[in-house]
């Protein structure tokens, strides 16, 4: 990855912002609405930012939105870059590097995922406690820039324990039930098969999706504190007697949007230092 490209992108974004953001948000399929809670946001289309890839998926807006969210300066990605779109891991995680270059040390990463855990239901929110990288690739492959992070970064605490406890406390306070579990990152774009779902469950996965893992690895490498939240959009293949569709993913995330907004807004409003 070219750090000069990161610096150029960050310089372009910084120029547009009135305030320095403290928290980064990556908003998954159907969850971009959180950015609408930002007061008088500055919006920056991805295509205007030097070196930024462009998003291609329906339901993804493709812009940064920055400003005050519940008293915190945030910068949100409305739509992310997926590996299945054909982007390299370096491209997928480019925005995380830009956020770090902007000075952001805390990042909330969200996604829509399929439920693997049989106790889960569509519409549940799941705090991500850990992940399994099942993508067969890693954004840190290649020469390591020691200025960005270590060659062999520890991932045992990549989901910040303090943030997790904070998210639990916020959920309790708001009377929102949240699940917790391990997110498995698959490449997609094909949804997993029933046999693969059984395999992933045996391996310890609670949910499966096509994102998040690259961004979390990169944020961890960069020393950022990470909170991950999945919206369980459907039950993974073979668990219900029905096929999986992207329409269902969008419909479910729209249904839980209110709860998601309330929870994440409160988490950000009271995010500990
Ligand atoms: N995203 C939403 N639902 C999914 C599923 N079942 N598998 C993978 N990614 C998903």
């Amino acid at each position: 990855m070219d750090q000069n490209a990161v610096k150029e992108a960050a310089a372009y974004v910084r120029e547009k912002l009135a305030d320095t953001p403290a928290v980064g948000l990556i908003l998954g399929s159907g969850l971009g609405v959180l950015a609408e809670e930002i007061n008088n946001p500055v919006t920056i289309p991805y295509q205007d930012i030097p070196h930024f890839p462009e998003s291609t998926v329906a339901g993804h807006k493709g812009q940064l939105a920055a400003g005050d969210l519940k008293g915190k300066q945030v910068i949100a990605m409305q739509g992310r870059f997926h590996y299945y779109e054909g982007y390299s891991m370096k491209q997928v995680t480019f925005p995380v590097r830009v956020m770090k270059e902007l000075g952001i040390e805390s990042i909330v990463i969200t996604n829509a995922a399929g439920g693997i855990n049989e106790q889960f239901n569509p519409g549940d929110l799941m705090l991500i406690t850990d992940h399994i990288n099942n993508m067969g690739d890693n954004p840190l492959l290649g020469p390591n820039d020691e200025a960005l992070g270590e060659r062999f970064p520890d991932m045992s605490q990549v989901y910040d324990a303090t943030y997790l406890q904070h998210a639990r406390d916020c959920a309790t306070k708001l009377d929102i039930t949240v699940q917790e579990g391990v997110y498995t990152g698959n490449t997609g774009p094909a949804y997993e098969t029933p046999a693969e779902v059984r395999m992933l469950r045996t391996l310890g996965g609670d949910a499966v999706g096509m994102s998040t893992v690259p961004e979390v690895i990169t944020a961890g490498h960069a020393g950022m504190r990470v909170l991950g939240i999945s919206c369980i959009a459907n039950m993974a293949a073979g668990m219900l007697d029905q096929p999986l569709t992207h329409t269902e993913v969008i419909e479910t995330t729209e249904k839980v949007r209110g709860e998601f907004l309330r929870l994440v807004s409160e988490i950000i409003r009271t995010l500990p230092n």
Side-chain angles (χ1 to χ4, degrees), residues 97-156:
R97 294 294 183 196
V98 172
M99 285 184 181
K100 175 74 183 185
E101 181 67 26
L102 288 169
I104 289 170
E105 298 293 346
S106 303
I107 187 162
V108 180
I109 304 185
T110 68
N111 59 61
I116 295 178
N117 186 316
E118 284 159 316
Q119 307 304 316
F120 290 2
N121 289 299
D124 282 352
L125 298 176
M126 183 189 89
L127 305 178
I128 304 176
T129 55
D130 204 346
H131 74 224
I132 295 173
N133 180 4
N134 197 42
M135 300 178 97
D137 200 349
N138 192 300
L140 306 180
L141 286 180
N144 186 57
D145 184 344
E146 287 289 325
L148 299 182
E150 290 180 54
R151 172 73 289 188
F152 302 109
D154 177 39
M155 291 284 139
S156 59

Side-chain angles (χ1 to χ4, degrees), residues 112-115 186 190-192 208-210 231 233-237 244 249:
N186 275 7
Y191 287 118
E192 58 291 333
V208 56
M210 306 174 191
C231 168
N234 53 32
M235 296 314 287
L244 275 58
V249 171

Side-chain angles (χ1 to χ4, degrees), residues 44-59:
I44 310 172
Y46 293 158
Q47 72 250 30
D48 293 355
I49 307 171
H51 312 290
F52 241 64
E54 247 178 81
S55 185
T56 62
V57 178

Side-chain angles (χ1 to χ4, degrees), residues 29 84 111-116 183-184 186-192 197 200 207-211 231-237 244-246 248-250 253:
S29 301
Y84 64 72
N111 59 61
I116 295 178
Y183 176 91
T184 314
N186 275 7
T187 63
Y191 287 118
E192 58 291 333
V197 172
L200 296 175
V208 56
M210 306 174 191
S211 67
C231 168
I232 305 301
N234 53 32
M235 296 314 287
L244 275 58
T245 66
H246 186 61
E248 185 194 7
V249 171
I250 298 297
T253 47

Side-chain angles (χ1 to χ4, degrees), residues 41-257:
V42 174
T43 57
I44 310 172
Y46 293 158
Q47 72 250 30
D48 293 355
I49 307 171
H51 312 290
F52 241 64
E54 247 178 81
S55 185
T56 62
V57 178
H60 289 248
K61 247 192 179 151
Q63 63 180 21
L64 295 178
D68 175 287
L69 179 68
K70 310 288 172 196
K72 293 265 176 5
Q73 286 298 323
V74 305
I75 187 157
M77 288 184 76
Q78 286 183 291
R80 56 150 60 83
F81 305 110
H82 296 90
Y83 192 63
Y84 64 72
E85 292 175 89
Y87 300 116
S88 69
M89 283 277 167
K90 302 280 186 221
Q91 287 176 303
V92 167
T93 56
F94 184 80
V96 177
R97 294 294 183 196
V98 172
M99 285 184 181
K100 175 74 183 185
E101 181 67 26
L102 288 169
I104 289 170
E105 298 293 346
S106 303
I107 187 162
V108 180
I109 304 185
T110 68
N111 59 61
I116 295 178
N117 186 316
E118 284 159 316
Q119 307 304 316
F120 290 2
N121 289 299
D124 282 352
L125 298 176
M126 183 189 89
L127 305 178
I128 304 176
T129 55
D130 204 346
H131 74 224
I132 295 173
N133 180 4
N134 197 42
M135 300 178 97
D137 200 349
N138 192 300
L140 306 180
L141 286 180
N144 186 57
D145 184 344
E146 287 289 325
L148 299 182
E150 290 180 54
R151 172 73 289 188
F152 302 109
D154 177 39
M155 291 284 139
S156 59
Q157 298 277 331
V158 73
Y159 296 90
D160 187 275
T162 306
Y163 281 3
L164 263 171
Q165 189 53 44
H166 174 64
R168 285 184 198 111
D169 293 344
C170 288
T172 305
K173 186 163 64 183
L174 298 174
D175 207 15
I176 294 174
T177 307
V178 285
Q179 308 284 6
E180 295 191 17
V182 174
Y183 176 91
T184 314
N186 275 7
T187 63
Y191 287 118
E192 58 291 333
T193 64
E196 287 162 351
V197 172
R198 289 193 297 275
M199 175 189 77
L200 296 175
R201 189 182 299 124
T202 305
L203 292 178
D206 294 294
V208 56
M210 306 174 191
S211 67
T212 300
V213 166
E215 293 108 315
V216 170
I217 292 172
T218 302
H221 179 251
M224 297 160 92
R225 299 174 74 183
V226 177
L227 175 68
I229 305 177
S230 292
C231 168
I232 305 301
N234 53 32
M235 296 314 287
M239 295 179 68
L240 302 176
D241 192 17
Q242 63 188 49
L244 275 58
T245 66
H246 186 61
T247 311
E248 185 194 7
V249 171
I250 298 297
E251 278 171 9
T252 309
T253 47
E254 272 170 11
K255 256 185 240 157
V256 289
R257 155 187 294 190

